[in-house]
Amino acid sequence: MRLISQDGRVDLPYEQVCVSIDILSWLTIKVCPLAKVDSWTFAFYSTKERASMAMKLLTYTYTRRKYVEDYFQFPSDNEIEEQYNMFF
């Protein structure tokens, strides 16, 4: 599955990266390629809850990848709740 940043500028294979919520701010989704030490900001949310929703959407999309498009783009801050509520 392809993982696309919130602004659409970065596209990476999900199976070759580590995805996490930044432990300092809890508002930023970080993606670190397994072959590198640095990371990229893939998404930023205004609350911890919205960042958590984005991670849940990513997990849901990945586990159902044979039924959906083979990519995931992080939703914008103002779209996250609507998209989350469509699945949960």
Side-chain angles (χ1 to χ4, degrees), residues 55-83:
M55 291 296 285
K56 287 179 184 175
L57 278 173
L58 170 60
T59 302
Y60 178 80
T61 301
Y62 183 73
T63 58
R64 297 191 43 88
R65 67 189 177 280
K66 57 182 144 183
Y67 307 109
V68 296
E69 297 280 338
D70 202 24
Y71 70 92
F72 177 84
Q73 182 166 7
F74 283 97
S76 67
D77 189 54
N78 60 354
E79 297 172 328
I80 186 65
E81 290 183 29
E82 179 183 337
Q83 286 193 21

Side-chain angles (χ1 to χ4, degrees), residues 21-28 45 47-49 51-52:
I21 296 175
D22 180 62
I23 60 171
L24 297 178
S25 73
W26 288 90
L27 304 175
T28 305
Y45 295 98
T47 66
K48 295 177 192 180
E49 292 77 17
S52 181

